[in-house]
Amino acid sequence: MTRPTARAGSRASADRLARLLNLVPYLLARPGIEIAEAAGDLGVTERQLREDLELLWVCGLPGYGPGDLIDMAFDGDRVTITYDAGIDRPLRLTPDEALALVVALRMLAETPGVANREAVERALAKIEDAGDLVGAPVAVRLPGDTRRVEALRAAVEGGKALRITYYTAARDETTDRVIDPLRVLMVGGRAYVEAWCRRAEAVRLFRADRIDAITELDEPATVPPQAVPHDLTEGVFRPSPDLPLITLRIGRSERWITEYYPCERVEAGDGDQWLVSLRVTDLLWARRFVLGLGPEVTVVAPVELAEQVRATAAAALDAYAVPAPTTAPRRPEVDQDNAPSGDRAVAGHTQ
């Protein structure tokens, strides 16, 4: 069984939205129409039409209470719209709504990896023209270094190879690499370039904000046939059974981990403590991750990770240890008989 791609899912959702928007005026013009006839006219099955009608029942105006939602009456296999919630009228945007759409579309137009940028720009031009928002003082900037993202995008469009200096957080190291870019994309609010890495001899994802230096080479990008882009429909990190599994005992203040990271198991422990198990790319990353957490986190497994965390923490504490006090030099003894009068007074006082 194959999983449908994100593009297929988006296309199905868009088709259904268009069908729902068309369904209300269609039914208003044909009160009491049989469901089978309506399904035939709309090119869907009766089951799909009934599911669409059930969805319409929870659609309507803000407030979403009685009198706000679309309402229908059924008489056997016949359906009649009794309240349309204004969907039969042309859409009119308020100035605030139009401005919000302009901001969203401008952000989308600037997002790397957007497939149909021309369609976005056409929609943006229509809304700006209809809402008298052409040239509106709205500046949209993506997170991260925009110039670096533009350089990466230009390399992809120009088919050029790149030399980059890249920081790998998992290993806390910086390396120089030559890459053949495949695409630039946004995932989770961050920009990435996906490329064939000649150093690793594999397809790799590089975060744009971790590229310290970038140089476009004169040579064209050479992508081998085995270079296949990753499926990122579920995010950059995809846990798999072959990755290390770590188990942590966490307190209440660290429960955010279960919402931010994909966990395989979460169990209640003693008191407010939870036992959390999750997959990680490697134990080096896990060590840095645990060291960055608060004191309410304890490594349960594997033992190797616990030992690494303990050793690193001990080394850090040693670096901040207060040096032992040195012995104060002894005061030289004073010969009372040969000392000057001033020294005798001092010597007599110290005794």
Side-chain angles (χ1 to χ4, degrees):
M1 178 178 179
T2 59
R3 174 176 294 183
T5 63
R7 181 172 295 181
S10 300
R11 181 68 266 169
S13 298
D15 291 343
R16 190 178 192 190
L17 176 60
R19 191 168 64 247
L20 289 173
L21 293 174
N22 182 54
L23 183 56
V24 174
Y26 171 86
L27 294 177
L28 285 172
R30 300 164 179 81
I33 189 173
E34 290 187 355
I35 292 180
E37 181 182 350
D41 289 346
L42 297 171
V44 296
T45 64
E46 291 187 37
R47 178 180 177 181
Q48 182 62 67
L49 180 57
R50 291 182 184 276
E51 291 178 354
D52 289 346
L53 293 174
E54 291 176 0
L55 181 57
L56 280 178
W57 239 325
V58 294
C59 298
L61 300 173
Y64 308 108
D68 299 323
L69 302 178
I70 294 173
D71 201 3
M72 291 165 283
F74 288 89
D75 182 11
D77 288 334
R78 297 177 179 275
V79 59
T80 300
I81 295 288
T82 58
Y83 178 65
D84 57 36
I87 290 185
D88 64 321
R89 299 190 298 270
L91 176 64
R92 297 184 184 276
L93 299 175
T94 66
D96 289 343
E97 290 171 338
L99 186 59
L101 276 176
V102 167
V103 172
L105 287 171
R106 286 187 182 178
M107 178 69 78
L108 187 61
E110 292 299 318
T111 300
V114 173
N116 198 345
R117 191 180 307 276
E118 292 182 358
V120 174
E121 293 175 349
R122 287 197 302 270
L124 177 60
K126 290 179 180 179
I127 294 175
E128 287 179 334
D129 184 60
D132 195 21
L133 294 172
V134 177
V138 177
V140 176
R141 293 185 178 88
L142 293 173
D145 191 331
T146 304
R147 288 178 298 177
R148 184 181 294 117
V149 174
E150 288 298 332
L152 293 171
R153 183 187 297 169
V156 172
E157 294 175 352
K160 294 292 187 178
L162 297 174
R163 176 176 285 108
I164 63 172
T165 301
Y166 188 71
Y167 171 69
T168 304
R171 295 188 296 274
D172 191 24
E173 67 176 9
T174 301
T175 56
D176 291 323
R177 305 164 182 256
V178 174
I179 63 173
D180 302 298
L182 295 171
R183 58 177 175 167
V184 177
L185 62 159
M186 293 289 294
V187 182
R190 293 189 175 96
Y192 293 81
V193 58
E194 188 171 25
W196 174 262
C197 177
R198 299 184 188 179
R199 182 172 182 266
E201 295 186 346
V203 175
R204 292 288 186 265
L205 275 173
F206 300 98
R207 268 178 54 171
D209 59 345
R210 291 180 179 169
I211 299 177
D212 295 330
I214 178 172
T215 303
E216 185 175 297
L217 303 180
D218 292 334
E219 61 182 287
T222 306
V223 180
Q226 66 269 28
V228 179
H230 293 91
D231 179 7
L232 302 177
T233 55
E234 297 181 4
V236 174
F237 178 68
R238 303 186 67 181
S240 60
D242 59 319
L243 294 177
L245 179 69
I246 68 171
T247 301
L248 307 176
R249 182 181 292 110
I250 64 174
R252 180 180 294 273
S253 63
E254 305 296 343
R255 291 182 180 178
W256 60 268
I257 294 173
T258 61
E259 300 176 1
Y260 194 82
Y261 295 96
C263 299
E264 288 196 1
R265 188 174 69 251
V266 177
E267 299 177 356
D270 298 334
D272 290 337
Q273 294 183 332
W274 285 0
L275 285 176
V276 177
S277 298
L278 63 155
R279 300 282 175 181
V280 296
T281 53
D282 53 53
L283 293 186
L284 290 177
W285 181 92
R287 183 193 64 184
R288 293 167 56 83
F289 171 65
V290 173
L291 288 169
L293 299 174
E296 294 189 8
V297 176
T298 303
V299 178
V300 177
V303 175
E304 178 186 356
L305 175 61
E307 292 176 349
Q308 290 180 6
V309 170
R310 186 181 299 108
T312 306
L317 290 174
D318 289 342
Y320 286 94
V322 178
T326 58
T327 304
R330 296 182 60 186
R331 181 185 299 274
E333 295 182 1
V334 179
D335 187 344
Q336 295 290 332
D337 295 332
N338 299 324
S341 58
D343 289 336
R344 290 195 189 96
V346 173
H349 178 73
T350 59
Q351 291 177 349

